[in-house]
Amino acid sequence: MQLLSMPLFEIFLPIIQSNSIQNWTANDFWKRMKLTKNERHRFNRQRMYRILRKLVEFGFLEKKIIQSNPRFSRFHETSKMFEFRMLEQENIEISQMKIEETKLNSEIILLEKQIEKYEGLKVKFPRMKNKIAHAKETCLSQLIEIKAYRSALKSVTVLN
């Protein structure tokens, strides 16, 4: 979606996620944006207006111009905003799943190297073969479990 790549959208998103937008002005959005003093400048305000314009254009927000002062507008969320919130929540969860998958890849590499090292231990310490074989089997079962979990994650993230 075009909105996701807009500057400041990652700051704007939590405002949409956690608030019911009824009768808000652009200034209400601005006040809720967590910007540092240095970030509170005209360019970022213009970026915020662009995001609002896109949300109206895509039908997530409704804009009503105040007749007494046409420079001011009020924003109301539409029923389509619920769909947007669900879509965004799903995107966040997919990102978390991909991070989890990356961590699993590191664990898999570590376990595979550990399994290789058990063979060297068997040669170096022949009297401990049984304990080493048991430790290797435990490591192999962990590896299988982690690979199965990674596979399940991949099957869900590939769909998106």
Side-chain angles (χ1 to χ4, degrees):
M1 183 181 278
Q2 187 181 7
L3 278 168
L4 299 175
S5 62
M6 292 182 79
L8 284 187
F9 191 74
E10 68 280 351
I11 295 170
F12 202 82
L13 184 59
I15 296 167
I16 295 169
Q17 292 284 4
S18 59
N19 292 291
S20 175
I21 302 163
Q22 298 301 328
N23 211 27
W24 283 27
T25 63
N27 202 39
D28 292 326
F29 288 97
W30 183 249
K31 287 177 185 175
R32 285 175 175 79
M33 291 178 75
K34 304 267 191 272
L35 298 174
T36 65
K37 196 170 190 176
N38 291 338
E39 292 173 324
R40 290 190 166 272
H41 50 72
R42 185 173 54 94
F43 296 113
N44 280 340
R45 197 152 179 110
Q46 290 300 318
R47 289 176 176 149
M48 181 201 64
Y49 289 133
R50 283 187 204 105
I51 292 169
L52 287 173
R53 200 174 310 125
K54 286 293 179 188
L55 287 169
V56 169
E57 182 182 319
F58 293 142
F60 298 114
L61 290 178
E62 211 173 63
K63 179 180 176 181
K64 295 194 177 169
I65 298 172
I66 299 171
Q67 296 302 324
S68 61
N69 192 344
R71 290 182 55 217
F72 292 107
S73 301
R74 296 277 179 183
F75 295 91
H76 304 272
E77 64 183 56
T78 64
S79 58
K80 197 172 176 184
M81 184 61 83
F82 177 76
E83 296 170 26
F84 179 77
R85 286 184 179 122
M86 289 297 109
L87 176 70
E88 288 311 308
Q89 194 61 40
E90 188 176 301
N91 286 342
I92 290 167
E93 288 178 357
I94 287 171
S95 295
Q96 290 171 338
M97 290 173 95
K98 286 182 179 179
I99 290 168
E100 181 85 8
E101 191 179 323
T102 303
K103 288 178 187 175
L104 290 174
N105 286 335
S106 298
E107 283 183 52
I108 288 169
I109 291 169
L110 178 71
L111 287 171
E112 287 173 341
K113 291 204 181 285
Q114 190 175 347
I115 290 167
E116 288 173 16
K117 298 301 175 188
Y118 283 126
E119 292 304 316
L121 288 174
K122 280 184 186 177
V123 172
K124 205 172 194 180
F125 304 101
R127 290 188 193 127
M128 300 291 291
K129 266 187 183 177
N130 290 339
K131 283 190 175 186
I132 293 169
H134 178 71
K136 181 180 175 184
E137 286 303 315
T138 303
C139 190
L140 275 168
S141 67
Q142 284 179 329
L143 182 62
I144 291 168
E145 287 294 318
I146 291 173
K147 282 185 174 182
Y149 183 50
R150 181 185 66 176
S151 178
L153 284 173
K154 273 187 178 182
S155 70
V156 173
T157 58
V158 166
L159 297 173
N160 293 305

